């Protein structure tokens, strides 16, 4: 048994006869290196641990839950948190749908999500990767004027969840990333481009690819202009499409549905998207960086089909949102670290790949705009009303080919409309850090705002 | 726990250890933060949570390199281990453990009058219910009300190898109301925050009810909204949240970390005309009670009022310790960090445009066709290119000098130096709005402010043809 799970179980021993306790314990080791002008600019090494406790009391009108957390595992912190959580519970509203997860018979898949080489790789080797990444970008193209950050980072994370309702779960994961931002200039305005590579360990990272990406993305934006406003088909590249899928995934959370905040509520069975659109949340697919064995309540993660060939099949639920909706948890509880309470959400989205690559999509689209980076997603997308308006840089598509770069434009529609306006889904599935993998998608009837 | 969080002598020995391998500067930042939060959703009190976080972040600077480590172990052995980890970047051996002499602690007591710890939780719930009632009183189309109340009490001390030893007690309180209205056209949202560097005295029954009614009215109004236009139009920004425009259009680009890396369109432009003469922009950590107020920043430097742009001329950038040191000057009090687990960097505090002498109603009346933005919801900028967006969450058409049809949410997009030239009227109805600013993965509370003002043109990113 993991040490964290033992720690969690010890805390459960404090439970009083009339209450349920759930404990989430987490620890992490993080390393971050930033290279600048061939030297280490910042080097961070850190270990952290902490826990979150929830206490549940049953009453005549339902259960009441109180929460407390602390950024340490000291006994004193645990005693204080238990007291606070108990006190908090007395102020909650009794709610018949509130409950802790109980084992549901779904067995957890076996996934290898951690790699010992994160710990065993010497710090000097990690530093060398950040420095090499910066060097490759600076030396890769004479138009690269500046590299304002070239980073390597990794983590080793462990967590355990235990409850008096029978939950026992523990897991470990590792991750490693490099990212770089290049600034290009050829006498006119500066342009920027990001490159990144992600994996479970340093040996998974493709530094040349990350550098080449940053160079390509920044240099091909040189000379970008602001076009006139027009309506067209937009082709989102895999990275920007992944952002779009994450937003849609948010509206497919059972939490949003039961709180009356989802534009998909009461639409199960309807065609909400074009027939080429199949979206699933599958944390059991080890290829996804967000893959996970257990959810944040300690239930086994499972494959959930959300939209199948355009038809809305269902939502993802945690225990409470499922009970409120009259169904059972889909093993989809998320938690924002030790301070967060579990809530339902998509963890590892992927869109079923289409059968044509990006070049073929561009050919079929003929004329339109190719979206390569987004800005202002949090300020321009309203996931409740569905209004969608984001700042974009990218390239024009002319005669089926990428043409001149464009900047300082927005693309706008509504999420509802966009799903129905998907005309092509690419075969170029790309595994990316974050809640969604991505591939190229073409969407019609997009309003582009420029001059 | 004592007022220094860690004993004076222990801090001195930790700094000595941090400098042992040849560091040029070392700093220990010790923080103890307690937070509480509660949510009322559909009249149910949920997610009452209390939290505590305590630890130290230690950095060591050698040349252009910073080593950083943090720990939740505040014993001497825990601090020394973190100091050694941070010092590992200094590879030249150094001269062994250094003697560091700290002066007496310069502490800053909180100005809050009602400390969060002293507030009855039942009273908090009463206020949340009061807000819920007020929101629903606006009409039956309000189908969802969510009220969130949070507070934090953040005590920190910072000690460095220059002998600086200062502390601060920051109490912040926040109350948000989110409403959803449902009609034939679907759902629409309304949102109002109340937030300040204050205790519970920030919140009164009247204030929360007013915010709740405002959020509800905003959602209801938008049920009749039409898609926003697409393209370049004159825009009038109502006082308050319009300050986000300056936060994005030039605030981030005036942070010295971007400047020193030549990653800002404002690099090398001090003394030049970068904005309309109507623009005088200030970043001011001293505005007591505002969301971005601080007695000292997270490097121990007193908060300050810094004029960034005066009558359109760029006067200075914002500085933290590290970037100021490179330029042989002093920090402007803009070194901030999310927590002890983060390195400080250059951040804004309360950033605002000084008011002008125009009349807000007159500005609208003199606009024949354009967009009136009553509330902005956030934004983002690429400092290297200057391109930025800001999102409108409550907006209307202006037709014939009158505010007319409500518009659906969308982003506006522009280029900083270009948009700053387009300010052609500033009124005198100044107000401020709280917000959360994210940069390199760290969030800090900031204020933005301005009076009603007009831009001669900016690109509206609507979906209308």
């Amino acid at each position: 048994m993991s040490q964290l799970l033992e720690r969690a179980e010890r805390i459960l021993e404090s439970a009083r006869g009339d209450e349920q306790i759930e404990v989430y314990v987490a620890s992490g080791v993080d390393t971050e290196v930033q290279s600048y002008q061939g030297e280490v600019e910042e080097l961070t090494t850190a270990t952290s641990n902490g826990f979150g406790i929830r206490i549940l009391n049953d009453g005549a009108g339902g259960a009441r839950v109180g929460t407390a957390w602390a950024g340490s595992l000291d006994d004193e912190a645990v005693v204080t948190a238990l007291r606070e959580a108990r006190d908090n519970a007395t102020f909650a509203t009794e709610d018949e749908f509130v409950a802790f997860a109980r084992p549901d018979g779904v067995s957890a898949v076996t996934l290898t999500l951690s790699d010992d080489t994160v710990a065993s790789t010497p710090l000097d080797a990690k530093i060398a990767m950040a420095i090499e990444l910066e060097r490759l970008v600076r030396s890769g193209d004479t138009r690269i004027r500046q590299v304002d950050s070239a980073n390597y980072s990794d983590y080793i994370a462990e967590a355990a969840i235990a409850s008096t309702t029978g939950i026992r779960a523990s897991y470990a994961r590792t991750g490693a990333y490099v990212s770089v931002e290049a600034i290009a200039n050829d006498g006119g305005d500066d342009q920027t481009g990001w490159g990144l590579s992600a994996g479970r360990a340093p040996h998974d990272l493709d530094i040349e690819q990350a550098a080449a990406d940053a160079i390509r993305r920044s240099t091909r934006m040189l000379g970008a202009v602001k076009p006139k406003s027009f309506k067209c088909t937009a082709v989102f590249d895999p990275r920007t499409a992944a952002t779009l899928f994450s937003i849609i995934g948010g509206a497919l959370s059972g939490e949003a549905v039961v709180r009356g905040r989802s534009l998909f509520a009461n639409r199960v069975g309807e065609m909400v998207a074009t027939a080429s659109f199949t979206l699933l949340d599958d944390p059991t697919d080890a290829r996804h960086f967000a893959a996970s064995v257990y959810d944040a309540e300690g239930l086994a993660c499972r494959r959930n089909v959300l939209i199948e060939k355009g038809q809305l099949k269902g939502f993802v639920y945690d225990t409470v949102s499922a009970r409120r909706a009259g169904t059972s948890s889909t093993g989809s509880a998320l938690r924002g670290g030790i301070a967060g309470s579990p809530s339902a959400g998509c963890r590892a989205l992927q869109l079923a790949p289409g059968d044509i690559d990006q070049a073929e999509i561009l050919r079929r689209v003929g004329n339109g705009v190719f979206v390569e980076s987004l800005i202002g997603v949090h300020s321009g997308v309203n996931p409740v009303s569905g209004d969608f308006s984001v700042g974009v840089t990218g390239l024009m598509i002319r005669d089926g080919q990428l043409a001149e770069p464009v900047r300082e434009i927005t693309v706008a529609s509504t999420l509802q409309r966009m799903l129905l306006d998907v005309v092509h889904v690419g075969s170029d599935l790309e595994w990316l850090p974050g809640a969604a993998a991505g591939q190229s998608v073409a969407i019609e009837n997009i309003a582009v705002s420029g001059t | 726990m004592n007022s220094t969080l860690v004993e004076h002598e222990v801090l001195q020995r930790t700094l000595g250890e941090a400098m042992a391998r040849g560091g040029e500067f070392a700093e220990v930042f010790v923080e103890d933060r307690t937070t509480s939060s509660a949510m009322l959703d559909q009249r149910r009190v949920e997610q009452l949570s209390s939290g505590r976080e305590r630890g130290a972040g230690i950095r060591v600077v050698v040349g252009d390199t910073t080593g950083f480590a943090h720990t939740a172990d505040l014993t001497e052995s825990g601090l020394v281990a973190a100091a050694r980890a941070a010092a590992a970047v200094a590879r030249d051996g150094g001269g062994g453990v250094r003697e560091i002499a700290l002066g007496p602690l310069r502490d800053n007591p909180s100005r809050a009058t009602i400390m969060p710890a002293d507030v009855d939780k039942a009273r908090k719930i009463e206020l949340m219910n009061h807000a819920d009632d007020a929101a629903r009183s606006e009409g039956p189309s309000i189908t969802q009300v969510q009220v969130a109340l949070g507070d934090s009490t953040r005590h920190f001390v910072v000690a460095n190898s220059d002998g600086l030893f200062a502390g601060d007690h920051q109490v912040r309180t926040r109350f948000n109301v989110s409403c959803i209205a449902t009609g034939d056209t679907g759902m629409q949202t309304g949102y109002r925050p109340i937030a300040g560097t204050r205790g519970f005295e920030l919140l009164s029954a009247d204030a929360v009810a007013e915010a709740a009614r405002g959020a509800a009215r905003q959602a209801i109004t938008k049920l009749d909204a039409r898609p926003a236009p697409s393209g370049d139009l004159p825009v009038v920004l109502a006082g308050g949240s319009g300050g986000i425009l300056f936060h994005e259009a030039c605030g981030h680009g005036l942070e010295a970390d971007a400047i020193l890396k030549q990653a800002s369109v404002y690099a090398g432009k001090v003394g030049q005309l970068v904005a309309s003469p109507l623009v005088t922009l200030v970043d001011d950590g001293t505005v007591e009670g505002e969301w971005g107020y601080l007695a000292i920043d997270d490097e121990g430097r007193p908060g300050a009022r810094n004029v960034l742009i005066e009558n359109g001329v760029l006067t200075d950038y914002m500085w933290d310790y590290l970037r100021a040191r490179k330029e042989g000057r002093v920090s402007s009090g803009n070194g901030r960090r999310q927590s002890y687990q983060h390195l400080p960097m250059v951040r804004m505090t309360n950033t605002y445009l000084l008011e002008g002498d125009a009349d807000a109603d007159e500005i609208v009346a003199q606009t024949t066709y354009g967009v009136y933005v009553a509330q902005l919801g956030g934004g983002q900028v690429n400092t290297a290119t200057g391109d930025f967006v800001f999102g409108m969450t409550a907006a209307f058409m202006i037709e014939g000098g009158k505010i007319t049809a409500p518009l659906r949410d969308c982003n506006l997009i522009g280029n900083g130096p270009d948009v700053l030239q387009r300010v052609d009227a500033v009124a005198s109805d100044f107000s401020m709005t709280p917000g959360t600013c994210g940069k390199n993965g760290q969030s800090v509370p900031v204020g933005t402010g301005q009076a009603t003002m007009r831009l001669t043109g900016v690109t509206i990113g609507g979906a209308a043809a």
Side-chain angles (χ1 to χ4, degrees):
Chain A
M1 190 172 18
S2 83
Q3 284 187 345
L4 288 183
L5 189 54
E6 282 176 31
R7 185 78 184 95
E9 287 199 327
R10 275 211 307 286
I11 296 172
L12 291 188
E13 289 164 12
S14 323
R16 295 175 181 164
D18 55 348
E19 68 186 12
Q20 304 286 357
I21 298 188
E22 181 209 64
V23 183
Y24 171 83
V25 187
S27 72
V29 179
D30 295 272
T31 302
E32 267 182 66
V33 187
Q34 183 165 315
S35 165
Y36 184 62
Q37 294 181 335
E39 310 236 8
V40 176
E41 182 176 41
E42 289 175 13
L43 171 62
T44 299
T45 51
T47 57
S48 56
N49 53 45
F51 65 91
I53 289 180
R54 296 197 295 152
I55 298 229
L56 180 147
N57 290 309
D58 265 317
R64 305 198 284 186
V65 169
T67 301
W69 58 273
S72 79
L73 288 174
D74 301 346
D75 290 338
E76 180 207 334
V78 172
V79 169
T80 307
L82 283 165
R83 190 180 61 230
E84 284 289 333
R86 283 188 180 113
D87 187 53
N88 285 336
T90 63
F91 293 93
T93 306
E94 285 190 344
D95 186 337
E96 59 177 311
F97 300 115
V98 165
F100 287 163
R102 290 177 187 274
D104 63 357
V106 177
S107 45
V109 293
T110 305
L111 297 176
T112 305
L113 302 177
S114 82
D115 186 322
D116 294 341
T117 61
V118 172
S120 63
T121 302
L123 187 55
D124 282 346
K126 298 174 181 178
I127 290 171
M129 289 176 85
I131 290 174
E132 175 65 3
L133 176 62
E134 187 196 1
R135 192 194 66 78
L136 286 172
V137 176
R138 285 190 187 273
S139 62
D141 191 302
T142 53
R143 294 167 297 173
I144 300 299
R145 179 179 75 69
Q146 176 65 299
V147 176
D148 83 335
S149 69
N151 302 287
Y152 167 90
S153 65
D154 65 36
Y155 68 85
I156 303 167
E158 285 184 74
I161 304 165
S163 74
T164 52
T165 52
I167 296 293
R168 295 290 182 279
S170 64
Y171 48 91
R173 59 193 307 127
T174 60
Y177 304 89
V178 287
S179 66
V180 62
E181 187 184 41
I183 303 177
N185 190 293
D186 63 352
D189 290 339
D190 282 347
Q191 297 297 337
T192 61
W194 277 95
L196 62 92
S197 177
R200 304 237 174 264
H203 59 77
D204 295 330
L205 303 177
D206 188 339
I207 297 208
E208 285 78 15
Q209 179 63 47
D213 247 15
I215 293 169
R216 181 177 51 90
R217 284 170 175 262
S218 57
T219 55
R220 78 176 178 189
M221 284 304 300
L222 289 169
V225 294
K226 182 170 184 160
K228 287 204 177 312
S229 301
F230 62 109
K231 253 202 162 118
C232 69
T233 298
V235 177
F236 291 79
D237 82 340
R239 280 197 221 165
T240 55
T243 302
L244 183 59
F245 304 155
S246 293
I247 295 163
I248 292 160
L252 291 165
S253 145
E255 189 90 13
V257 173
V258 300
R259 292 192 187 286
R261 309 179 68 86
S262 172
L263 51 92
F264 294 111
N266 305 315
R267 298 184 63 193
V268 173
E270 281 181 36
M271 289 296 287
V272 297
T274 187
S276 59
F277 198 90
T278 294
L279 183 67
L280 43 142
D281 184 42
D282 186 8
T284 69
D285 186 335
R287 295 173 299 172
H288 209 298
F289 291 114
S292 186
V293 177
Y294 294 105
D295 81 347
E297 292 183 297
L299 294 178
C301 284
R302 52 209 84 173
R303 180 177 188 272
N304 293 299
V305 179
L306 304 167
I307 297 172
E308 188 169 28
K309 294 182 177 159
Q311 188 183 40
L312 180 60
K313 304 303 277 189
F315 306 104
V316 293
Y317 291 101
D318 66 344
T319 299
V320 178
S321 63
R323 285 166 61 95
R324 219 180 281 291
T327 179
S328 46
S329 170
T330 57
S332 306
L334 301 176
R335 187 166 201 145
I338 51 170
S341 290
S343 75
C346 295
R347 186 185 286 269
L349 291 160
Q350 54 176 295
L351 194 65
D355 48 18
I356 52 173
D357 63 12
Q358 191 183 81
E360 180 60 23
I361 290 178
L362 297 175
R363 254 193 305 281
R364 293 194 191 177
V365 165
N367 295 292
V369 67
F370 178 75
V371 177
E372 193 165 59
S373 80
L374 304 179
I375 182 171
V377 171
H378 68 294
S379 62
V381 180
N382 185 327
V384 174
S385 66
D387 288 317
F388 181 97
S389 161
V390 294
V392 157
T393 60
L395 300 138
M396 295 300 292
I397 304 167
R398 294 190 194 282
D399 302 325
Q401 306 273 340
L402 294 179
E404 77 276 13
V406 286
R407 55 173 273 244
E408 206 191 320
I409 55 174
T410 59
V411 297
S413 181
T414 65
L415 293 172
Q416 297 91 323
R417 200 58 258 156
M418 289 168 83
L419 283 174
L420 293 165
D421 284 342
V422 171
V423 283
H424 302 293
V425 173
S427 56
D428 52 343
L429 182 65
E430 201 176 306
W431 301 101
L432 296 163
Q439 66 258 70
S440 303
V441 289
I443 303 178
E444 334 176 274
N445 297 319
I446 296 288
V448 175
S449 292
T451 57
Chain B
M1 181 145 309
N2 61 48
S3 65
T4 60
L5 293 170
V6 169
E7 294 298 330
H8 191 268
E9 294 74 24
V10 174
L11 287 171
Q12 291 187 151
R13 287 196 292 271
T14 303
L15 284 168
E17 196 68 50
M19 297 287 276
R21 295 184 62 175
E24 292 157 14
F25 172 80
E27 174 196 75
V28 181
F29 177 87
V30 189
E31 180 181 37
D32 183 3
R33 186 201 304 249
T34 52
T35 62
S36 83
S37 60
M39 188 173 84
L40 183 81
D41 185 274
Q42 295 300 68
R43 301 180 188 272
R44 292 186 301 267
V45 179
E46 294 180 7
Q47 295 177 12
L48 271 98
S49 181
S50 309
R52 178 139 188 213
E53 217 167 2
R54 195 162 49 170
I58 299 177
R59 65 171 163 158
V60 175
V61 178
V62 193
D64 288 332
T65 300
T66 297
F68 181 64
H70 60 81
T71 178
D73 182 355
L74 293 183
T75 63
E76 183 159 2
S77 63
L79 292 168
V80 165
R84 285 181 182 153
V89 289
R91 291 170 176 242
D92 297 336
V97 176
R98 288 256 303 274
E99 286 283 329
I100 304 291
L102 295 176
L105 177 71
R106 282 188 292 105
D107 205 12
N108 291 282
S110 165
R111 318 268 168 99
T113 52
I114 307 174
M115 296 299 281
D118 298 333
V119 183
D120 185 1
K121 287 174 188 167
R123 173 68 188 140
K124 292 183 179 178
I125 290 162
E126 195 184 318
L127 273 186
M128 292 196 292
N129 277 315
H130 186 60
D132 183 284
D133 290 342
R136 289 176 199 279
S137 72
E138 288 294 317
S141 59
I142 294 296
T143 52
Q144 220 280 350
V145 179
Q146 199 172 77
V147 185
L149 197 168
D151 52 51
S152 78
T153 305
R154 180 184 190 228
H155 175 199
F156 69 81
V157 295
V158 53
N160 73 29
S161 53
D162 297 338
L164 178 144
F165 189 28
D168 200 4
H169 298 253
Q170 297 174 353
V171 174
R172 289 195 166 89
T173 302
R174 184 171 180 103
F175 190 97
N176 303 326
V177 186
S178 310
C179 294
I180 293 177
T182 306
D184 299 340
T185 52
M187 294 184 288
Q188 283 294 345
T189 54
Y191 172 78
R192 285 286 161 87
I194 304 175
T197 304
R198 294 176 184 273
F200 199 68
E201 69 275 10
L202 175 74
L203 304 175
S204 67
D206 287 349
V208 303
E210 191 193 321
R213 283 194 296 267
R217 279 196 303 270
Q218 192 184 104
I220 294 168
T221 301
K222 283 198 287 185
L223 287 177
D224 296 324
R226 64 193 205 201
S230 169
D232 204 46
L233 285 178
V235 169
V236 177
L237 297 172
S241 63
I244 291 166
L245 170 84
F246 295 97
H247 180 101
E248 304 296 351
C250 61
H252 281 297
L254 298 176
E255 292 167 343
D257 39 5
I259 296 295
L260 294 191
K261 286 190 171 177
Q262 301 287 318
S264 164
V265 282
Y266 298 101
K269 293 201 171 158
V270 169
Q272 295 182 23
L273 195 67
V274 297
S276 145
L278 294 174
V279 174
T280 294
L281 188 72
V282 174
D283 181 83
D284 189 351
T286 71
V287 195
E288 221 180 300
E290 283 300 337
W291 193 228
Y293 167 77
L294 37 84
I296 56 172
D297 71 3
D298 299 324
E299 300 180 306
R301 183 92 197 157
R305 181 180 188 275
N306 298 295
V307 178
L308 306 172
I309 297 174
E310 191 162 18
N311 302 324
V313 176
L314 180 58
T315 48
D316 200 0
Y317 306 118
M318 289 169 277
W319 303 85
D320 65 356
Y321 170 84
L322 207 60
R323 280 75 186 188
R325 174 177 178 262
K326 279 187 190 161
E327 294 294 296
R329 51 179 291 165
V330 295
S331 159
S332 57
N334 289 92
R336 303 183 69 189
R337 52 176 125 206
Q338 182 177 316
S339 80
Y340 77 87
Q341 302 188 3
H342 300 87
L343 270 170
M345 58 182 152
V346 188
R347 301 304 292 264
M348 285 175 260
T349 60
N350 301 297
T351 311
Y352 54 83
L353 181 77
L354 292 196
E355 63 183 20
D357 49 16
D359 178 83
D361 295 337
E362 280 294 304
I363 291 175
V364 173
Q366 289 163 3
T367 307
T368 28
Y369 187 75
V371 169
Y372 179 81
V373 181
Q375 184 181 302
L376 287 175
Q380 193 179 349
V381 63
N382 178 334
T383 58
T385 65
D387 289 351
F388 73 102
V389 296
F390 52 110
M392 58 189 209
T393 52
F396 302 83
M397 288 305 299
I398 300 174
E399 292 162 301
K402 293 200 162 50
I403 291 171
T404 59
L407 298 173
R408 297 183 68 131
D409 292 357
C410 78
N411 264 323
L412 289 81
I413 192 163
N415 185 266
D418 174 46
V419 167
L420 291 183
Q421 303 285 355
R422 297 182 180 214
V423 176
D424 79 338
V426 180
S428 55
D429 57 341
F430 180 88
S431 74
M432 292 204 59
T433 296
T436 300
C437 171
K439 176 177 171 183
N440 297 350
Q442 294 192 43
S443 295
V444 296
V446 297
T448 60
Q450 56 33 293
T452 296
M453 52 168 277
R454 183 172 56 202
L455 299 167
T456 54
V458 64
T459 301
I460 317 284

